[in-house]
Amino acid sequence: MTAVPALLRRWPVALCTALAMAIAMAWGSAVHAEDVVEDAVLQGDVAEPWYTIEERLAQYGPSARARMRDHFDAASVAYPPGAVVLVALKAERRVELYAGDTPESLAHIRDYPVYGASGGAGPKLRAGDRQVPEGLYRIEGLNPNSHYHLSLRVNYPNAFDRSMAAREGRTGLGGDIYIHGGMESVGCLAMGDRNSEDLFVLAADVGEDNIRAVFSPLDFRVSATAPEGKGAPRWAGTLYQDIWRALDVLPRPGVAEGQQVLRFFPQVSVADALGFEQQRQAVSASGHGTGAGPAYSTE
């Protein structure tokens, strides 16, 4: 290949990246640079070298799987598992990893510290509010070329977020929320590079459709007090009931079953509470089933 095509490939990349960073700097704290730049990365606008997911797995997969395998073996869970739940606890600044052959057989695998995040209690309402989202989410993409090493894209805003925004007439909800490497973040979760490698490899091995993410203001299993964030929306109680339900079915590390503060939803299955069965509401509407489960889907 001649030098000319290579240059032609690079100049749009450099231009788009420069424009994205200029916009982020001009807006200052109103917009997280990840909101601007990371979206461009997913569209292919990234400085070379360019890596595929497969190349990243070849690069980081062996060491990441070796680190994780000891934790999976200790929990008597085969790797790769059939289902994964990531619980992000904002107040505690940690991400808990649960996994099992099925959603009904989840076990606690390990915890990861959150090194960088912003905002406080309360859901994300708009772009630039610096809030980490709260709710039940999916992982909808893996970015092997993140500006923050490696990243997992969270499907914020989901159906519930969009529904509440429409009810209140809010637009500009923001997006591009990631669980990524590095030590700092605004609106996302910075997990450190090595931990982001573990989560990236795990997500690739398990498959995005088999992962759910619970983003909670705090661990409702050990605190029965709902957080009081600034200007909390009136519907926050409904949101926190769904988060409570999702956390309630997960075995909290170090706490014997039945000793958790909240055991409000014994009739709800694990798969329903965590959003793995997203067609349940449709089935309930047709006259079958109990209708128990989340008030909104993770879509």
Side-chain angles (χ1 to χ4, degrees):
M1 182 177 291
T2 65
V4 173
L7 288 174
L8 290 176
R9 289 201 314 274
R10 287 187 177 91
W11 79 260
V13 168
L15 178 61
C16 291
T17 302
L19 287 174
M21 293 304 297
I23 292 171
M25 291 176 65
W27 287 354
S29 62
V31 176
H32 182 199
E34 186 94 346
D35 291 344
V36 179
V37 178
E38 196 83 22
D39 187 57
V41 170
L42 289 177
Q43 300 302 322
D45 293 330
V46 62
E48 293 184 296
W50 170 266
Y51 294 97
T52 66
I53 292 176
E54 289 72 22
E55 288 171 336
R56 286 302 202 189
L57 291 177
Q59 184 177 10
Y60 296 115
S63 57
R65 294 183 187 107
R67 288 192 297 267
M68 289 187 289
R69 200 171 299 277
D70 288 341
H71 295 282
F72 275 83
D73 288 346
S76 300
V77 176
Y79 187 92
V84 164
V85 175
L86 301 174
V87 174
L89 302 172
K90 292 165 61 172
E92 289 82 0
R93 295 180 71 86
R94 71 172 182 263
V95 170
E96 298 176 354
L97 169 61
Y98 297 84
D101 292 336
T102 68
E104 304 290 346
S105 62
L106 296 170
H108 175 256
I109 304 300
R110 63 161 299 179
D111 295 342
Y112 291 98
V114 174
Y115 293 115
S118 63
K124 183 173 182 64
L125 301 178
R126 59 185 60 85
D129 64 5
R130 304 175 66 88
Q131 284 293 97
V132 175
E134 295 173 359
L136 308 184
Y137 295 99
R138 294 183 296 104
I139 300 301
E140 64 176 4
L142 302 180
N143 186 1
N145 297 285
S146 172
H147 286 260
Y148 302 88
H149 193 46
L150 300 173
S151 63
L152 289 66
R153 183 181 176 118
V154 179
N155 74 319
Y156 170 87
N158 65 13
F160 182 82
D161 298 316
R162 296 191 299 270
S163 175
M164 294 302 101
R167 176 187 298 182
E168 298 173 346
R170 283 185 286 110
T171 58
L173 305 186
D176 298 318
I177 302 299
Y178 295 84
I179 301 171
H180 60 66
M183 304 297 286
E184 298 180 357
S185 185
V186 178
C188 303
L189 298 178
M191 310 297 298
D193 287 355
R194 177 170 289 190
N195 292 338
S196 75
E197 293 166 11
D198 288 3
L199 297 176
F200 183 93
V201 172
L202 173 65
D205 288 348
V206 173
E208 298 164 18
D209 290 343
N210 298 313
I211 303 175
R212 294 295 179 267
V214 181
F215 278 57
S216 180
L218 49 77
D219 192 345
F220 286 120
R221 294 166 297 186
V222 295
S223 175
T225 302
E228 296 182 359
K230 287 185 177 181
R234 298 176 63 182
W235 44 262
T238 298
L239 173 67
Y240 293 152
Q241 285 288 326
D242 285 304
I243 295 175
W244 270 341
R245 182 182 290 114
L247 293 177
D248 188 55
V249 298
L250 293 171
R252 180 176 175 270
V255 177
E257 185 176 356
Q259 292 182 348
Q260 296 181 169
V261 171
L262 302 175
R263 300 298 301 176
F264 292 159
F265 312 107
Q267 80 283 4
V268 179
S269 75
V270 174
D272 287 334
L274 295 170
F276 278 97
E277 296 179 4
Q278 297 173 5
Q279 300 302 316
R280 186 175 177 87
Q281 289 183 338
V283 172
S284 176
S286 69
H288 302 284
T290 64
Y296 62 95
S297 77
T298 59
E299 292 299 324

